[in-house]
Amino acid sequence: MKLSFAVYLVFVLSVISNKSLAKFDSLAFQKYQEIECSLVLIKNDNDILPLKKLETLDIISLSLSSQLNEFHNRVNSYKEARNIKGELSGLELEENLIILAVNSHDSPSESQVEDFKNLVSERSDLGVVLLVNSLQWLAEQKDIYALSDAIIYLPISQSLSYDLATQGVFGGIGITGKLTEDEKVVIPDITTYMTEPIQRLKYTLPEEVGIHSDSLDIGIETIVQEGLDSMAYPSCQVLVAKDGKVIFQKSYGYHTYDKKQAVTNTDIYDLASVTKV
């Protein structure tokens, strides 16, 4: 939705003090790096990944789970998409690319799997990218394996894994993981591929550029809240990026002062009179 009465704030950090390197959340960043390095691209027909020429793609993001909000949100960070969760029966497909996220721990039903196969098999011009956290599940779903143009395997099954895998789909990060010898046995003759990041934003932790997450969050929150409390604006969006890496993105407040609809990161603001700042 396009907003007229609000402020859109963009902070671009070009110089980071070495003092900010102290006391950052190293454990969280180590986990982030571990997951990023673990992603494995096990199918990439016609080098479909990373996705190129986004203006030619109409994307639908599907998840056979209601717990993958991070996945859907991240898809929309790169390209506005239709987001469908859970049951796929009766779904009419108008898009030309599907990004499907499967969490095998949620035990996708047979009907969900059949609905997906029926949906895809009807369209020869359709691109299919699959994010899956279980090689065993994939080995049992030979039809889905065959119908997919690209498959990213997520050995560490967390919500962040789906976020980072989606970034790999769009080229915000490269995919460089390799299968273990035990994993290679699950699907015979499996091949792995690697990709390089392209000129797209990466969404990461502030610690990657030497900034403490808590310090950044508290500092921004204080400034934004002053504006909201004084009714300088009903809402705002704040995005902090450095060296092509988005390290903070958050929306505050409501579309209007009557507080009926909260602002989201995908809302669009009119941007005017910026030279006055």
Side-chain angles (χ1 to χ4, degrees), residues 113-122 141 143-144 147:
V113 172
E114 287 303 314
D115 286 339
F116 176 74
K117 289 192 291 188
N118 293 334
L119 191 68
V120 173
S121 60
E122 295 173 356
Q141 301 295 336
D143 290 341
I144 290 183
L147 289 168

Side-chain angles (χ1 to χ4, degrees), residues 28-41 152-156 158 160-168 171-178 195-197 202-205 208 245:
F29 183 48
Q30 287 173 11
K31 189 63 177 179
Y32 181 98
Q33 288 180 307
E34 180 187 358
I35 294 175
E36 181 179 347
C37 294
S38 72
L39 302 174
V40 187
L41 183 60
I152 302 178
Y153 166 52
L154 292 57
I156 303 173
Q158 295 185 6
L160 178 58
S161 303
Y162 290 90
D163 181 329
L164 285 166
T166 304
Q167 294 191 49
I173 64 172
I175 304 175
T176 60
K178 298 181 180 179
T195 63
E196 296 287 339
K202 175 182 182 179
Y203 294 81
T204 185
L205 299 179
E208 184 162 341
K245 299 178 177 68

Side-chain angles (χ1 to χ4, degrees), residues 199-216:
Q199 295 298 314
R200 302 242 172 84
L201 291 171
K202 175 182 182 179
Y203 294 81
T204 185
L205 299 179
E207 280 74 14
E208 184 162 341
V209 296
I211 298 178
H212 185 210
S213 295
D214 288 345
S215 298
L216 186 66

